[in-house]
Amino acid sequence: MIVLGIETSCDDTGIAVVRDGHQILANLVSSQPEHARFGGVVPEIAARKHVEVLPAMLDSALDRAGVTLDDLDGVAVTRGPGLIGALLAGWCFGRGLAQACGLPYVGVHHLAAHVHGALMPALADGEPVRYPLTALVVSGGHTALYRVTAANTFVPLGQTRDDAAGEAFDKVAKLLELGYPGGPIIDRIAPQGDPFAWQLPRSDLGLDFTFSGLKAAVRRLAIEQKIEPGDATDPRILDIAASFQAAVIDMLAATTERALARFSSKGVVLCGGVAANRDLRTRFAALADRQGIPLFVSPPPLATDNGAMIAGAGHRRIAMGESDPLALAARATWPLGS
Ligand code: KG4
Ligand code: ZN
């Protein structure tokens, strides 16, 4: 069964063709450099760019996968949560395409898809995925812990009370004038700094997260130290980047460990854009090892937003013969496990 997946919840346009929920035939992502000069995503620009690039990306994805529209068995589209204008671009495109081709059409929860993306390599290799799992979704818009009791069945455990971890990476990078998005940049430069140079605050809110205190501490430190932003080779900026990244990773790991101590789990999932972070992946590999359970972590192309995770997550419902009604609306906010 071949499913087309469409992702447009934020500023990446993703289109993918996936067989049986895990075999990726094509996975194209188009990023939008237009937002860089604003240091964050401009919703109106994001929506317009999705509308512009979707038709040509569809052709390229089908080409790359070596299939035609006639080979598709269904269309899966991100229904939410996300920027509503951006979501609607993919939602209307996918719904129109499905209608025109007489295909079933399902709306997918973006965060459930991130979790599915982390499981796809194991599913493709025929490795067992046993439930319950403890899943950390850590992206630019979300930081949350879930207990996954069965495929696509989520119980929320905790979430951020302010910024998402990815947002904190982006804002610290903006403060230090390092570029956008900040996560990959800090990931790249942090190893050149000393993570112990500055003892930045680590909060403990049980199974919840907060990053605003850390962000404020970095701002204060940059002012106190009279940091001249913009130079990614300045050793003092490298030390701040490394110390900041270490604090974020400590908090994500400690909170996940608290959840593992409280609820028995047969595996840990690490997913969302920030899961591309190399030090975070290393820390979680060690954490899962200590617990003696497998770590399911999205490979970097499946960590940041993409269409393959949407097609994979939508596959199950399409295979069961389901299709969403035409009148179903996209949802800017949509708690997972509700
Ligand atoms: O999942 P994603 O692509 O979009 C959302 O659903 O938000 O996540 C994007 C976020 C951005 O904040 C970006 O800075 C962060 O993921 N990110 C990273 C890395 N790659 C992307 N953060 C830390 N290290 C990375 N290597
Ligand atoms: Zn995402």
Side-chain angles (χ1 to χ4, degrees):
M1 178 162 267
I2 299 179
V3 172
L4 181 79
I6 299 175
E7 156 61 34
T8 64
S9 66
C10 192
D11 61 338
D12 290 321
T13 319
I15 290 209
V17 181
V18 175
R19 192 193 296 274
D20 299 335
H22 53 72
Q23 189 193 345
I24 299 171
L25 306 181
N27 187 22
L28 305 188
V29 177
S30 167
S31 301
Q32 302 177 353
E34 288 82 358
H35 305 284
R37 71 191 175 98
F38 301 104
V41 178
V42 182
E44 175 71 17
I45 296 178
R48 285 170 188 236
K49 290 308 285 185
H50 292 315
V51 172
E52 262 174 56
V53 302
L54 275 166
M57 283 183 73
L58 170 64
D59 283 346
S60 307
L62 294 173
D63 242 33
R64 180 81 56 93
V67 300
T68 67
L69 287 174
D70 289 339
D71 298 313
L72 299 181
D73 297 294
V75 179
V77 185
T78 307
R79 183 181 170 209
L83 303 170
I84 194 64
L87 284 167
L88 284 172
W91 188 245
C92 295
F93 182 81
R95 185 170 56 187
L97 182 72
Q99 272 287 298
C101 300
L103 292 169
Y105 169 79
V106 297
V108 170
H109 195 292
H110 182 80
L111 303 185
H114 268 304
V115 172
H116 185 84
L119 302 178
M120 283 171 80
L123 294 171
D125 291 346
E127 286 170 21
V129 175
R130 282 188 262 272
Y131 297 90
L133 300 168
T134 295
L136 175 67
V137 183
V138 67
S139 73
H142 305 271
T143 298
L145 268 169
Y146 298 95
R147 192 166 160 73
V148 192
T149 52
N152 213 25
T153 310
F154 299 86
V155 180
L157 298 179
Q159 62 176 337
T160 181
R161 296 193 188 170
D162 40 60
D163 293 347
E167 196 180 347
F169 270 99
D170 296 338
K171 286 183 177 163
V172 165
K174 186 178 180 185
L175 171 81
L176 299 174
E177 292 178 19
L178 297 173
Y180 177 85
I185 299 167
I186 292 181
D187 182 356
R188 197 179 59 242
I189 66 169
Q192 301 162 48
D194 174 7
F196 303 105
W198 301 101
Q199 185 57 33
L200 294 166
R202 276 103 166 128
S203 61
D204 174 356
L205 294 179
L207 299 184
D208 276 347
F209 304 87
T210 168
F211 297 99
S212 59
L214 172 61
K215 198 179 60 185
V218 171
R219 178 168 295 120
R220 263 196 316 273
L221 180 62
I223 293 169
E224 275 164 23
Q225 293 299 311
K226 300 191 172 55
I227 297 291
E228 297 238 358
D231 180 2
T233 60
D234 177 344
R236 295 187 314 150
I237 287 190
L238 294 171
D239 283 350
I240 293 179
S243 303
F244 161 76
Q245 178 172 283
V248 174
I249 293 175
D250 278 354
M251 284 193 275
L252 294 174
T255 311
T256 305
E257 286 202 281
R258 282 194 285 277
L260 289 169
R262 218 179 282 182
F263 306 102
S264 76
S265 295
K266 299 211 168 86
V268 187
V269 175
L270 175 63
C271 62
V274 181
N277 186 277
R278 291 167 301 171
D279 282 1
L280 181 65
R281 297 165 80 88
T282 307
R283 175 70 75 86
F284 267 66
L287 183 158
D289 218 36
R290 272 202 307 282
Q291 303 276 342
I293 51 179
L295 171 68
F296 300 99
V297 57
S298 324
L302 288 181
T304 45
D305 290 348
N306 65 89
M309 66 181 192
I310 305 300
H315 169 266
R316 174 182 296 267
R317 286 187 57 212
I318 290 170
M320 291 194 305
E322 292 183 28
S323 186
D324 279 329
L326 272 180
L328 193 74
R331 294 186 62 171
T333 54
W334 184 9
L336 182 59
S338 56

